[in-house]
Amino acid sequence: MKTLQFREAIAEAMSEEMRRDETIYLMGEEVAEYNGAYKASKGMLDEFGDKRVIDTPISELGFAGVGVGSTMTGNRPIIEFMTFNFALVGIDQIINNAAKIRQMSGGQFPCPIVFRGPTASAGQLAATHSQAFESWYANCPGLKVVVPSNPADAKGLLKSAIRDDDPVIFMESEQMYGDKGEVPEGEYTIPLGVADIRREGSDVTIVSFGKIIKEADKAADELGKEGISCEIIDLRTVKPLDYDAVVNSVKKTNRLVIVEEAWPFGNVSTEITYHVQENAFDYLDAPIQRINTADTPAPYSPVLLEEWLPNHEDVIKAVNKVLYR
């Protein structure tokens, strides 16, 4: 094992795949000369040149469309958005073209493309730069959605995403790029659609993904001091979602808490809640609890933002509620 920052794991995954396959290229704002807005493509311009690491104007709709079109001529692009908030400008290309080309061409044109960049909040960035769109993209047939929470998963999942013949939305976090973690030496991939049981437990299942799972970890540490055993499941992939991992865990613990940084209406946690009550209702000893952001745009005020976001204290309260404590 070796220790890498999250941004280094991203760069290593892209570089290894670009060495393996010359049809892969990286395109986005500041990915080349500036080494990436978050330094997640550091050194790649020097190694691969400006034909494969391409700076673009501020034109998300344009370079998203160039990427989608290039898949039809045999390329496998990685399109970086400086933030998925800006992907809203290019979402027509993602939803109406990338997600539908395979079906609308009768299978003649797969669309092997990765759209990657940070999602959700990252401190005081205010309402238009603090949005989580995982459930939006997961709602669209034809797209896969990946949200890693640590450097090892980021590398293994990104390599799988790049090799996938369907479009993949790969969502990171500005607040995780500096996170360090152990990453396996040598070649490895992590299959899409397989959750990780990052902590085994017997009293309650906590499901989460992305950077907000850190709050679940904090809560589990504190609850452990009180003798409460929490099982934590990191979904890693939102679509396809590993329903079996969640259901099997609930059958063991009989209680479920879901933590997701997203608005509460129609999100990933509501989908999981429906699936569990459909497939494990008789195993539940308490109603499912979900923890989301407030149903408002993200505030700029640090005091309000702290209140708006899910935190480990919210998780502890929810666990106590399902345990009737």
Side-chain angles (χ1 to χ4, degrees):
M1 304 288 278
K2 59 186 175 183
T3 300
L4 292 180
Q5 289 186 329
F6 194 103
R7 60 168 59 90
E8 293 171 329
I10 293 291
E12 197 167 90
M14 292 191 293
S15 296
E16 287 179 6
E17 292 305 298
M18 287 175 70
R19 293 181 196 119
R20 187 183 63 84
D21 185 345
E22 292 187 354
T23 67
I24 300 169
Y25 68 89
L26 172 65
M27 175 184 282
E29 296 159 2
E30 298 185 347
V31 299
E33 296 288 346
Y34 193 65
N35 284 308
Y38 311 104
K39 300 298 180 276
S41 53
K42 186 175 181 180
M44 292 180 64
L45 174 63
D46 292 338
E47 179 174 356
F48 299 106
D50 59 9
K51 299 296 184 184
R52 297 183 67 198
V53 182
I54 306 166
D55 277 331
T56 68
I58 301 174
S59 54
E60 286 81 5
L61 180 63
F63 62 77
V66 169
V68 173
S70 75
T71 67
M72 303 174 76
T73 59
N75 293 289
R76 307 181 73 90
I78 305 166
I79 302 300
E80 178 180 313
F81 295 117
M82 197 175 293
T83 160
F84 267 95
N85 297 284
F86 302 160
L88 294 182
V89 183
I91 199 169
D92 178 60
Q93 290 293 338
I94 300 171
I95 301 297
N96 281 328
N97 289 332
K100 296 175 175 62
I101 282 175
R102 181 190 286 274
Q103 186 199 53
M104 293 178 68
S105 69
Q108 295 178 82
F109 293 109
C111 189
I113 186 171
V114 175
F115 298 99
R116 51 158 294 270
T119 183
S121 66
Q124 288 180 263
L125 299 180
T128 60
H129 286 196
S130 302
Q131 303 169 105
F133 294 118
E134 292 89 339
S135 61
W136 285 31
Y137 291 110
N139 185 254
C140 179
L143 298 177
K144 297 177 181 178
V145 182
V146 181
V147 194
S149 67
N150 59 76
D153 285 358
K155 181 180 178 182
L157 290 165
L158 183 53
K159 288 170 72 71
S160 292
I162 294 169
R163 296 181 189 187
D164 201 288
D165 286 332
D166 289 311
V168 180
I169 308 295
F170 195 92
M171 309 182 97
E172 303 153 15
S173 169
E174 293 163 65
Q175 292 181 319
M176 288 199 299
Y177 285 121
D179 288 359
K180 293 182 178 180
E182 289 191 336
V183 176
E185 297 274 5
E187 172 68 20
Y188 76 98
T189 60
I190 297 173
L192 306 187
V194 179
D196 177 36
I197 301 176
R198 59 191 281 159
R199 182 177 187 141
E200 293 195 0
S202 57
D203 295 326
V204 60
T205 299
I206 304 175
V207 174
S208 190
F209 58 91
K211 81 170 191 293
I212 205 68
I213 202 170
K214 295 176 182 179
E215 300 302 318
D217 291 332
K218 292 178 189 175
D221 288 341
E222 291 196 20
L223 289 164
K225 297 173 185 176
E226 301 175 26
I228 298 170
S229 174
C230 300
E231 180 146 299
I232 298 180
I233 296 179
D234 185 347
L235 292 178
R236 302 198 290 199
T237 304
V238 168
K239 193 170 185 184
L241 198 152
D242 191 350
Y243 293 108
D244 288 345
V246 178
V247 168
N248 290 337
S249 179
V250 170
K251 287 180 177 179
K252 179 175 71 171
T253 67
N254 310 116
R255 295 170 175 84
L256 175 60
V257 172
I258 309 165
V259 188
E260 178 188 6
E261 183 181 342
W263 295 309
F265 189 91
N267 56 29
V268 176
S269 53
T270 58
E271 166 64 20
I272 295 171
T273 299
Y274 173 80
H275 191 88
V276 170
Q277 66 83 29
E278 176 74 9
N279 294 280
F281 182 81
D282 291 338
Y283 291 87
L284 288 169
D285 287 343
I288 297 167
Q289 296 294 308
R290 63 188 182 120
I291 304 164
N292 301 129
T293 67
D295 196 12
T296 69
Y300 176 74
S301 159
V303 177
L304 293 177
L305 182 63
E306 183 177 356
E307 189 68 24
W308 183 81
L309 280 167
N311 59 52
H312 73 282
E313 293 177 352
D314 296 328
V315 180
I316 291 172
K317 289 176 185 176
V319 169
N320 284 331
K321 188 171 183 178
V322 299
L323 290 170
Y324 300 107
R325 296 177 79 235

